[in-house]
PDB file of all heavy atoms in Angstrom:
ATOM      1  N   LEU A  29     -11.991 -34.386  15.984  1.00 95.00           N
ATOM      2  CA  LEU A  29     -11.204 -35.506  16.431  1.00 95.00           C
ATOM      3  C   LEU A  29     -11.042 -35.512  17.958  1.00 95.00           C
ATOM      4  O   LEU A  29     -10.989 -36.562  18.595  1.00 95.00           O
ATOM      5  CB  LEU A  29      -9.830 -35.419  15.772  1.00 95.00           C
ATOM      6  CG  LEU A  29      -8.847 -36.581  16.085  1.00 95.00           C
ATOM      7  CD1 LEU A  29      -9.383 -37.897  15.536  1.00 95.00           C
ATOM      8  CD2 LEU A  29      -7.498 -36.280  15.452  1.00 95.00           C
ATOM      9  N   PHE A  30     -10.980 -34.333  18.558  1.00 93.00           N
ATOM     10  CA  PHE A  30     -10.836 -34.224  20.015  1.00 93.00           C
ATOM     11  C   PHE A  30     -12.170 -34.119  20.770  1.00 93.00           C
ATOM     12  O   PHE A  30     -12.235 -33.728  21.925  1.00 93.00           O
ATOM     13  CB  PHE A  30     -10.009 -33.033  20.354  1.00 93.00           C
ATOM     14  CG  PHE A  30      -8.527 -33.218  20.008  1.00 93.00           C
ATOM     15  CD1 PHE A  30      -7.950 -32.547  18.957  1.00 93.00           C
ATOM     16  CD2 PHE A  30      -7.762 -34.041  20.780  1.00 93.00           C
ATOM     17  CE1 PHE A  30      -6.600 -32.731  18.633  1.00 93.00           C
ATOM     18  CE2 PHE A  30      -6.372 -34.271  20.464  1.00 93.00           C
ATOM     19  CZ  PHE A  30      -5.844 -33.610  19.351  1.00 93.00           C
ATOM     20  N   GLY A  31     -13.258 -34.501  20.075  1.00 94.00           N
ATOM     21  CA  GLY A  31     -14.565 -34.607  20.754  1.00 94.00           C
ATOM     22  C   GLY A  31     -15.567 -33.499  20.474  1.00 94.00           C
ATOM     23  O   GLY A  31     -16.615 -33.437  21.084  1.00 94.00           O
ATOM     24  N   GLY A  32     -15.229 -32.563  19.619  1.00 92.00           N
ATOM     25  CA  GLY A  32     -16.151 -31.496  19.319  1.00 92.00           C
ATOM     26  C   GLY A  32     -17.316 -31.946  18.454  1.00 92.00           C
ATOM     27  O   GLY A  32     -17.260 -32.976  17.753  1.00 92.00           O
ATOM     28  N   GLN A  33     -18.400 -31.137  18.446  1.00 94.00           N
ATOM     29  CA  GLN A  33     -19.550 -31.423  17.606  1.00 94.00           C
ATOM     30  C   GLN A  33     -19.562 -30.372  16.439  1.00 94.00           C
ATOM     31  O   GLN A  33     -18.615 -29.726  16.157  1.00 94.00           O
ATOM     32  CB  GLN A  33     -20.808 -31.297  18.483  1.00 94.00           C
ATOM     33  CG  GLN A  33     -20.842 -32.244  19.709  1.00 94.00           C
ATOM     34  CD  GLN A  33     -20.692 -33.701  19.313  1.00 94.00           C
ATOM     35  OE1 GLN A  33     -21.348 -34.204  18.370  1.00 94.00           O
ATOM     36  NE2 GLN A  33     -19.903 -34.438  20.046  1.00 94.00           N
ATOM     37  N   LEU A  34     -20.711 -30.357  15.759  1.00 95.00           N
ATOM     38  CA  LEU A  34     -20.842 -29.457  14.625  1.00 95.00           C
ATOM     39  C   LEU A  34     -20.558 -28.002  14.940  1.00 95.00           C
ATOM     40  O   LEU A  34     -19.887 -27.307  14.218  1.00 95.00           O
ATOM     41  CB  LEU A  34     -22.236 -29.610  13.968  1.00 95.00           C
ATOM     42  CG  LEU A  34     -22.499 -28.721  12.745  1.00 95.00           C
ATOM     43  CD1 LEU A  34     -21.540 -29.046  11.620  1.00 95.00           C
ATOM     44  CD2 LEU A  34     -23.946 -28.859  12.297  1.00 95.00           C
ATOM     45  N   ARG A  35     -21.050 -27.549  16.093  1.00 95.00           N
ATOM     46  CA  ARG A  35     -20.841 -26.120  16.507  1.00 95.00           C
ATOM     47  C   ARG A  35     -19.347 -25.851  16.723  1.00 95.00           C
ATOM     48  O   ARG A  35     -18.864 -24.824  16.324  1.00 95.00           O
ATOM     49  CB  ARG A  35     -21.671 -25.859  17.741  1.00 95.00           C
ATOM     50  CG  ARG A  35     -23.154 -25.818  17.426  1.00 95.00           C
ATOM     51  CD  ARG A  35     -23.970 -25.817  18.742  1.00 95.00           C
ATOM     52  NE  ARG A  35     -23.796 -24.595  19.516  1.00 95.00           N
ATOM     53  CZ  ARG A  35     -24.474 -24.358  20.682  1.00 95.00           C
ATOM     54  NH1 ARG A  35     -25.308 -25.277  21.123  1.00 95.00           N
ATOM     55  NH2 ARG A  35     -24.247 -23.242  21.300  1.00 95.00           N
ATOM     56  N   GLU A  36     -18.666 -26.794  17.359  1.00 96.00           N
ATOM     57  CA  GLU A  36     -17.250 -26.632  17.578  1.00 96.00           C
ATOM     58  C   GLU A  36     -16.454 -26.722  16.215  1.00 96.00           C
ATOM     59  O   GLU A  36     -15.464 -25.956  16.037  1.00 96.00           O
ATOM     60  CB  GLU A  36     -16.674 -27.722  18.512  1.00 96.00           C
ATOM     61  CG  GLU A  36     -17.022 -27.530  20.012  1.00 96.00           C
ATOM     62  CD  GLU A  36     -18.475 -27.778  20.301  1.00 96.00           C
ATOM     63  OE1 GLU A  36     -19.074 -28.686  19.679  1.00 96.00           O
ATOM     64  OE2 GLU A  36     -19.012 -27.078  21.190  1.00 96.00           O
ATOM     65  N   PHE A  37     -16.945 -27.520  15.332  1.00 97.00           N
ATOM     66  CA  PHE A  37     -16.320 -27.639  14.021  1.00 97.00           C
ATOM     67  C   PHE A  37     -16.385 -26.296  13.275  1.00 97.00           C
ATOM     68  O   PHE A  37     -15.365 -25.798  12.783  1.00 97.00           O
ATOM     69  CB  PHE A  37     -17.072 -28.691  13.190  1.00 97.00           C
ATOM     70  CG  PHE A  37     -16.600 -28.849  11.745  1.00 97.00           C
ATOM     71  CD1 PHE A  37     -15.582 -29.763  11.450  1.00 97.00           C
ATOM     72  CD2 PHE A  37     -17.147 -28.104  10.769  1.00 97.00           C
ATOM     73  CE1 PHE A  37     -15.150 -29.896  10.117  1.00 97.00           C
ATOM     74  CE2 PHE A  37     -16.726 -28.226   9.444  1.00 97.00           C
ATOM     75  CZ  PHE A  37     -15.689 -29.147   9.119  1.00 97.00           C
ATOM     76  N   ILE A  38     -17.567 -25.665  13.286  1.00 96.00           N
ATOM     77  CA  ILE A  38     -17.755 -24.383  12.595  1.00 96.00           C
ATOM     78  C   ILE A  38     -16.925 -23.312  13.294  1.00 96.00           C
ATOM     79  O   ILE A  38     -16.253 -22.489  12.642  1.00 96.00           O
ATOM     80  CB  ILE A  38     -19.226 -24.010  12.597  1.00 96.00           C
ATOM     81  CG1 ILE A  38     -20.009 -25.044  11.743  1.00 96.00           C
ATOM     82  CG2 ILE A  38     -19.410 -22.615  12.041  1.00 96.00           C
ATOM     83  CD1 ILE A  38     -21.549 -24.839  11.823  1.00 96.00           C
ATOM     84  N   CYS A  39     -16.916 -23.328  14.622  1.00 97.00           N
ATOM     85  CA  CYS A  39     -16.179 -22.267  15.318  1.00 97.00           C
ATOM     86  C   CYS A  39     -14.655 -22.401  15.141  1.00 97.00           C
ATOM     87  O   CYS A  39     -13.938 -21.394  14.965  1.00 97.00           O
ATOM     88  CB  CYS A  39     -16.517 -22.321  16.806  1.00 97.00           C
ATOM     89  SG  CYS A  39     -18.196 -21.757  17.196  1.00 97.00           S
ATOM     90  N   ALA A  40     -14.158 -23.657  15.137  1.00 96.00           N
ATOM     91  CA  ALA A  40     -12.777 -23.887  14.961  1.00 96.00           C
ATOM     92  C   ALA A  40     -12.359 -23.440  13.524  1.00 96.00           C
ATOM     93  O   ALA A  40     -11.268 -22.876  13.363  1.00 96.00           O
ATOM     94  CB  ALA A  40     -12.405 -25.359  15.171  1.00 96.00           C
ATOM     95  N   TYR A  41     -13.231 -23.707  12.627  1.00 97.00           N
ATOM     96  CA  TYR A  41     -12.947 -23.207  11.264  1.00 97.00           C
ATOM     97  C   TYR A  41     -12.799 -21.696  11.175  1.00 97.00           C
ATOM     98  O   TYR A  41     -11.906 -21.164  10.607  1.00 97.00           O
ATOM     99  CB  TYR A  41     -14.034 -23.726  10.246  1.00 97.00           C
ATOM    100  CG  TYR A  41     -13.704 -23.294   8.832  1.00 97.00           C
ATOM    101  CD1 TYR A  41     -12.996 -24.164   8.008  1.00 97.00           C
ATOM    102  CD2 TYR A  41     -14.120 -22.072   8.343  1.00 97.00           C
ATOM    103  CE1 TYR A  41     -12.711 -23.813   6.704  1.00 97.00           C
ATOM    104  CE2 TYR A  41     -13.799 -21.678   7.019  1.00 97.00           C
ATOM    105  CZ  TYR A  41     -13.100 -22.564   6.220  1.00 97.00           C
ATOM    106  OH  TYR A  41     -12.820 -22.187   4.949  1.00 97.00           O
ATOM    107  N   ILE A  42     -13.775 -21.013  11.865  1.00 96.00           N
ATOM    108  CA  ILE A  42     -13.765 -19.560  11.855  1.00 96.00           C
ATOM    109  C   ILE A  42     -12.504 -19.056  12.526  1.00 96.00           C
ATOM    110  O   ILE A  42     -11.829 -18.122  11.967  1.00 96.00           O
ATOM    111  CB  ILE A  42     -15.020 -19.014  12.551  1.00 96.00           C
ATOM    112  CG1 ILE A  42     -16.267 -19.375  11.778  1.00 96.00           C
ATOM    113  CG2 ILE A  42     -14.926 -17.506  12.744  1.00 96.00           C
ATOM    114  CD1 ILE A  42     -17.549 -19.060  12.474  1.00 96.00           C
ATOM    115  N   VAL A  43     -12.170 -19.631  13.628  1.00 97.00           N
ATOM    116  CA  VAL A  43     -11.016 -19.175  14.431  1.00 97.00           C
ATOM    117  C   VAL A  43      -9.708 -19.368  13.644  1.00 97.00           C
ATOM    118  O   VAL A  43      -8.851 -18.437  13.515  1.00 97.00           O
ATOM    119  CB  VAL A  43     -10.912 -19.864  15.746  1.00 97.00           C
ATOM    120  CG1 VAL A  43      -9.563 -19.626  16.463  1.00 97.00           C
ATOM    121  CG2 VAL A  43     -12.058 -19.481  16.679  1.00 97.00           C
ATOM    122  N   THR A  44      -9.558 -20.569  13.050  1.00 97.00           N
ATOM    123  CA  THR A  44      -8.313 -20.843  12.324  1.00 97.00           C
ATOM    124  C   THR A  44      -8.250 -20.049  11.014  1.00 97.00           C
ATOM    125  O   THR A  44      -7.165 -19.554  10.677  1.00 97.00           O
ATOM    126  CB  THR A  44      -8.201 -22.392  12.039  1.00 97.00           C
ATOM    127  OG1 THR A  44      -8.613 -23.117  13.145  1.00 97.00           O
ATOM    128  CG2 THR A  44      -6.802 -22.742  11.634  1.00 97.00           C
ATOM    129  N   PHE A  45      -9.353 -19.934  10.296  1.00 96.00           N
ATOM    130  CA  PHE A  45      -9.371 -19.152   9.098  1.00 96.00           C
ATOM    131  C   PHE A  45      -9.040 -17.701   9.354  1.00 96.00           C
ATOM    132  O   PHE A  45      -8.401 -17.035   8.504  1.00 96.00           O
ATOM    133  CB  PHE A  45     -10.754 -19.304   8.466  1.00 96.00           C
ATOM    134  CG  PHE A  45     -10.927 -18.536   7.160  1.00 96.00           C
ATOM    135  CD1 PHE A  45     -10.417 -19.078   5.984  1.00 96.00           C
ATOM    136  CD2 PHE A  45     -11.506 -17.308   7.143  1.00 96.00           C
ATOM    137  CE1 PHE A  45     -10.543 -18.358   4.761  1.00 96.00           C
ATOM    138  CE2 PHE A  45     -11.645 -16.594   5.967  1.00 96.00           C
ATOM    139  CZ  PHE A  45     -11.140 -17.145   4.752  1.00 96.00           C
ATOM    140  N   THR A  46      -9.411 -17.196  10.502  1.00 96.00           N
ATOM    141  CA  THR A  46      -9.122 -15.810  10.841  1.00 96.00           C
ATOM    142  C   THR A  46      -7.692 -15.635  11.320  1.00 96.00           C
ATOM    143  O   THR A  46      -7.045 -14.617  11.001  1.00 96.00           O
ATOM    144  CB  THR A  46     -10.100 -15.337  11.989  1.00 96.00           C
ATOM    145  OG1 THR A  46     -11.436 -15.556  11.540  1.00 96.00           O
ATOM    146  CG2 THR A  46      -9.917 -13.836  12.243  1.00 96.00           C
ATOM    147  N   THR A  47      -7.147 -16.582  12.058  1.00 96.00           N
ATOM    148  CA  THR A  47      -5.797 -16.470  12.615  1.00 96.00           C
ATOM    149  C   THR A  47      -4.755 -16.629  11.566  1.00 96.00           C
ATOM    150  O   THR A  47      -3.720 -15.897  11.647  1.00 96.00           O
ATOM    151  CB  THR A  47      -5.625 -17.545  13.745  1.00 96.00           C
ATOM    152  OG1 THR A  47      -6.626 -17.358  14.718  1.00 96.00           O
ATOM    153  CG2 THR A  47      -4.259 -17.383  14.349  1.00 96.00           C
ATOM    154  N   SER A  48      -4.959 -17.496  10.639  1.00 94.00           N
ATOM    155  CA  SER A  48      -3.949 -17.795   9.593  1.00 94.00           C
ATOM    156  C   SER A  48      -3.421 -16.595   8.876  1.00 94.00           C
ATOM    157  O   SER A  48      -2.213 -16.329   8.769  1.00 94.00           O
ATOM    158  CB  SER A  48      -4.477 -18.842   8.646  1.00 94.00           C
ATOM    159  OG  SER A  48      -3.545 -19.124   7.625  1.00 94.00           O
ATOM    160  N   PRO A  49      -4.302 -15.681   8.308  1.00 94.00           N
ATOM    161  CA  PRO A  49      -3.796 -14.522   7.585  1.00 94.00           C
ATOM    162  C   PRO A  49      -3.140 -13.516   8.522  1.00 94.00           C
ATOM    163  O   PRO A  49      -2.233 -12.770   8.085  1.00 94.00           O
ATOM    164  CB  PRO A  49      -5.055 -13.929   6.937  1.00 94.00           C
ATOM    165  CG  PRO A  49      -6.205 -14.473   7.734  1.00 94.00           C
ATOM    166  CD  PRO A  49      -5.779 -15.833   8.184  1.00 94.00           C
ATOM    167  N   ILE A  50      -3.554 -13.480   9.776  1.00 95.00           N
ATOM    168  CA  ILE A  50      -2.951 -12.481  10.681  1.00 95.00           C
ATOM    169  C   ILE A  50      -1.487 -12.928  10.958  1.00 95.00           C
ATOM    170  O   ILE A  50      -0.582 -12.109  10.999  1.00 95.00           O
ATOM    171  CB  ILE A  50      -3.753 -12.425  12.010  1.00 95.00           C
ATOM    172  CG1 ILE A  50      -5.144 -11.895  11.784  1.00 95.00           C
ATOM    173  CG2 ILE A  50      -3.031 -11.552  13.041  1.00 95.00           C
ATOM    174  CD1 ILE A  50      -5.994 -11.852  12.986  1.00 95.00           C
ATOM    175  N   LEU A  51      -1.283 -14.240  11.133  1.00 93.00           N
ATOM    176  CA  LEU A  51       0.070 -14.704  11.338  1.00 93.00           C
ATOM    177  C   LEU A  51       0.946 -14.453  10.127  1.00 93.00           C
ATOM    178  O   LEU A  51       2.169 -14.165  10.288  1.00 93.00           O
ATOM    179  CB  LEU A  51       0.069 -16.218  11.693  1.00 93.00           C
ATOM    180  CG  LEU A  51      -0.543 -16.648  13.039  1.00 93.00           C
ATOM    181  CD1 LEU A  51      -0.579 -18.112  13.198  1.00 93.00           C
ATOM    182  CD2 LEU A  51       0.244 -15.999  14.161  1.00 93.00           C
ATOM    183  N   ARG A  52       0.396 -14.568   8.963  1.00 90.00           N
ATOM    184  CA  ARG A  52       1.133 -14.265   7.757  1.00 90.00           C
ATOM    185  C   ARG A  52       1.496 -12.792   7.640  1.00 90.00           C
ATOM    186  O   ARG A  52       2.562 -12.440   7.144  1.00 90.00           O
ATOM    187  CB  ARG A  52       0.310 -14.739   6.530  1.00 90.00           C
ATOM    188  CG  ARG A  52       1.113 -14.690   5.247  1.00 90.00           C
ATOM    189  CD  ARG A  52       0.421 -15.359   4.115  1.00 90.00           C
ATOM    190  NE  ARG A  52      -0.853 -14.756   3.830  1.00 90.00           N
ATOM    191  CZ  ARG A  52      -2.033 -15.338   4.111  1.00 90.00           C
ATOM    192  NH1 ARG A  52      -2.056 -16.530   4.653  1.00 90.00           N
ATOM    193  NH2 ARG A  52      -3.164 -14.695   3.821  1.00 90.00           N
ATOM    194  N   LYS A  53       0.608 -11.907   8.175  1.00 91.00           N
ATOM    195  CA  LYS A  53       0.835 -10.493   8.078  1.00 91.00           C
ATOM    196  C   LYS A  53       2.001 -10.038   8.953  1.00 91.00           C
ATOM    197  O   LYS A  53       2.665  -9.052   8.725  1.00 91.00           O
ATOM    198  CB  LYS A  53      -0.378  -9.695   8.465  1.00 91.00           C
ATOM    199  CG  LYS A  53      -1.580  -9.860   7.449  1.00 91.00           C
ATOM    200  CD  LYS A  53      -1.236  -9.195   6.139  1.00 91.00           C
ATOM    201  CE  LYS A  53      -2.451  -9.212   5.199  1.00 91.00           C
ATOM    202  NZ  LYS A  53      -2.129  -8.597   3.886  1.00 91.00           N
ATOM    203  N   ILE A  54       2.283 -10.809  10.048  1.00 91.00           N
ATOM    204  CA  ILE A  54       3.356 -10.423  10.972  1.00 91.00           C
ATOM    205  C   ILE A  54       4.676 -11.040  10.540  1.00 91.00           C
ATOM    206  O   ILE A  54       5.689 -10.702  11.185  1.00 91.00           O
ATOM    207  CB  ILE A  54       3.007 -10.791  12.410  1.00 91.00           C
ATOM    208  CG1 ILE A  54       2.998 -12.332  12.600  1.00 91.00           C
ATOM    209  CG2 ILE A  54       1.675 -10.147  12.871  1.00 91.00           C
ATOM    210  CD1 ILE A  54       2.777 -12.730  14.061  1.00 91.00           C
ATOM    211  N   GLU A  55       4.683 -11.845   9.527  1.00 85.00           N
ATOM    212  CA  GLU A  55       5.947 -12.445   9.062  1.00 85.00           C
ATOM    213  C   GLU A  55       7.061 -11.383   8.721  1.00 85.00           C
ATOM    214  O   GLU A  55       8.208 -11.596   8.993  1.00 85.00           O
ATOM    215  CB  GLU A  55       5.702 -13.397   7.891  1.00 85.00           C
ATOM    216  CG  GLU A  55       5.097 -14.688   8.286  1.00 85.00           C
ATOM    217  CD  GLU A  55       4.835 -15.594   7.055  1.00 85.00           C
ATOM    218  OE1 GLU A  55       5.197 -15.186   5.931  1.00 85.00           O
ATOM    219  OE2 GLU A  55       4.320 -16.705   7.262  1.00 85.00           O
ATOM    220  N   PRO A  56       6.665 -10.297   8.042  1.00 85.00           N
ATOM    221  CA  PRO A  56       7.684  -9.254   7.676  1.00 85.00           C
ATOM    222  C   PRO A  56       8.399  -8.692   8.929  1.00 85.00           C
ATOM    223  O   PRO A  56       9.481  -8.170   8.766  1.00 85.00           O
ATOM    224  CB  PRO A  56       6.886  -8.186   6.927  1.00 85.00           C
ATOM    225  CG  PRO A  56       5.715  -8.908   6.387  1.00 85.00           C
ATOM    226  CD  PRO A  56       5.379  -9.943   7.426  1.00 85.00           C
ATOM    227  N   PHE A  57       7.811  -8.782  10.098  1.00 88.00           N
ATOM    228  CA  PHE A  57       8.497  -8.252  11.294  1.00 88.00           C
ATOM    229  C   PHE A  57       9.615  -9.186  11.775  1.00 88.00           C
ATOM    230  O   PHE A  57      10.376  -8.759  12.664  1.00 88.00           O
ATOM    231  CB  PHE A  57       7.450  -8.072  12.405  1.00 88.00           C
ATOM    232  CG  PHE A  57       6.435  -7.040  12.101  1.00 88.00           C
ATOM    233  CD1 PHE A  57       5.150  -7.394  11.658  1.00 88.00           C
ATOM    234  CD2 PHE A  57       6.713  -5.671  12.205  1.00 88.00           C
ATOM    235  CE1 PHE A  57       4.207  -6.426  11.350  1.00 88.00           C
ATOM    236  CE2 PHE A  57       5.757  -4.676  11.941  1.00 88.00           C
ATOM    237  CZ  PHE A  57       4.463  -5.061  11.503  1.00 88.00           C
ATOM    238  N   LYS A  58       9.702 -10.405  11.197  1.00 83.00           N
ATOM    239  CA  LYS A  58      10.742 -11.329  11.495  1.00 83.00           C
ATOM    240  C   LYS A  58      10.906 -11.605  13.011  1.00 83.00           C
ATOM    241  O   LYS A  58      11.994 -11.552  13.557  1.00 83.00           O
ATOM    242  CB  LYS A  58      12.061 -10.868  10.893  1.00 83.00           C
ATOM    243  CG  LYS A  58      12.042 -10.710   9.411  1.00 83.00           C
ATOM    244  CD  LYS A  58      13.394 -10.426   8.830  1.00 83.00           C
ATOM    245  CE  LYS A  58      13.343 -10.244   7.313  1.00 83.00           C
ATOM    246  NZ  LYS A  58      12.810 -11.413   6.608  1.00 83.00           N
ATOM    247  N   LEU A  59       9.769 -11.841  13.637  1.00 89.00           N
ATOM    248  CA  LEU A  59       9.779 -12.221  15.045  1.00 89.00           C
ATOM    249  C   LEU A  59      10.332 -13.667  15.190  1.00 89.00           C
ATOM    250  O   LEU A  59      10.197 -14.462  14.326  1.00 89.00           O
ATOM    251  CB  LEU A  59       8.379 -12.121  15.667  1.00 89.00           C
ATOM    252  CG  LEU A  59       7.693 -10.743  15.488  1.00 89.00           C
ATOM    253  CD1 LEU A  59       6.237 -10.819  15.999  1.00 89.00           C
ATOM    254  CD2 LEU A  59       8.420  -9.706  16.323  1.00 89.00           C
ATOM    255  N   ASN A  60      10.873 -13.964  16.364  1.00 90.00           N
ATOM    256  CA  ASN A  60      11.362 -15.319  16.524  1.00 90.00           C
ATOM    257  C   ASN A  60      10.190 -16.265  16.677  1.00 90.00           C
ATOM    258  O   ASN A  60       9.045 -15.891  16.971  1.00 90.00           O
ATOM    259  CB  ASN A  60      12.302 -15.444  17.768  1.00 90.00           C
ATOM    260  CG  ASN A  60      11.644 -15.189  19.065  1.00 90.00           C
ATOM    261  OD1 ASN A  60      10.788 -15.996  19.502  1.00 90.00           O
ATOM    262  ND2 ASN A  60      11.985 -14.149  19.716  1.00 90.00           N
ATOM    263  N   PHE A  61      10.434 -17.566  16.445  1.00 91.00           N
ATOM    264  CA  PHE A  61       9.363 -18.561  16.378  1.00 91.00           C
ATOM    265  C   PHE A  61       8.587 -18.718  17.691  1.00 91.00           C
ATOM    266  O   PHE A  61       7.367 -19.034  17.652  1.00 91.00           O
ATOM    267  CB  PHE A  61       9.900 -19.921  15.951  1.00 91.00           C
ATOM    268  CG  PHE A  61      10.942 -20.515  16.773  1.00 91.00           C
ATOM    269  CD1 PHE A  61      10.577 -21.316  17.890  1.00 91.00           C
ATOM    270  CD2 PHE A  61      12.313 -20.278  16.587  1.00 91.00           C
ATOM    271  CE1 PHE A  61      11.547 -21.866  18.713  1.00 91.00           C
ATOM    272  CE2 PHE A  61      13.294 -20.834  17.375  1.00 91.00           C
ATOM    273  CZ  PHE A  61      12.926 -21.623  18.471  1.00 91.00           C
ATOM    274  N   VAL A  62       9.230 -18.472  18.821  1.00 94.00           N
ATOM    275  CA  VAL A  62       8.491 -18.569  20.106  1.00 94.00           C
ATOM    276  C   VAL A  62       7.428 -17.493  20.219  1.00 94.00           C
ATOM    277  O   VAL A  62       6.309 -17.689  20.563  1.00 94.00           O
ATOM    278  CB  VAL A  62       9.475 -18.468  21.294  1.00 94.00           C
ATOM    279  CG1 VAL A  62       8.678 -18.544  22.617  1.00 94.00           C
ATOM    280  CG2 VAL A  62      10.459 -19.650  21.221  1.00 94.00           C
ATOM    281  N   VAL A  63       7.851 -16.237  19.903  1.00 95.00           N
ATOM    282  CA  VAL A  63       6.931 -15.117  19.974  1.00 95.00           C
ATOM    283  C   VAL A  63       5.770 -15.246  18.928  1.00 95.00           C
ATOM    284  O   VAL A  63       4.615 -14.978  19.228  1.00 95.00           O
ATOM    285  CB  VAL A  63       7.658 -13.786  19.705  1.00 95.00           C
ATOM    286  CG1 VAL A  63       6.682 -12.601  19.629  1.00 95.00           C
ATOM    287  CG2 VAL A  63       8.709 -13.561  20.749  1.00 95.00           C
ATOM    288  N   THR A  64       6.163 -15.718  17.712  1.00 94.00           N
ATOM    289  CA  THR A  64       5.111 -15.926  16.692  1.00 94.00           C
ATOM    290  C   THR A  64       4.042 -16.883  17.108  1.00 94.00           C
ATOM    291  O   THR A  64       2.888 -16.690  16.962  1.00 94.00           O
ATOM    292  CB  THR A  64       5.776 -16.371  15.359  1.00 94.00           C
ATOM    293  OG1 THR A  64       6.729 -15.426  14.915  1.00 94.00           O
ATOM    294  CG2 THR A  64       4.758 -16.598  14.322  1.00 94.00           C
TER     295      THR A  64
END
């Protein structure tokens, strides 16, 4: 939507798919929303 092509599409998927579970793993530490 912001102008990326197929390569950016694939990379964004990889990045987001990787980041999402990491953010979930740090939830038990109860960090504030700014730090998270």
Side-chain angles (χ1 to χ4, degrees):
L29 183 64
F30 288 107
Q33 303 300 317
L34 179 60
R35 291 167 66 177
E36 284 72 35
F37 177 91
I38 296 172
C39 290
Y41 183 90
I42 294 172
V43 170
T44 317
F45 180 79
T46 306
T47 304
S48 177
I50 296 176
L51 290 178
R52 190 170 58 252
K53 292 293 184 182
I54 67 175
E55 285 180 0
F57 295 101
K58 299 188 182 300
L59 303 173
N60 68 66
F61 59 88
V62 178
V63 175
T64 300

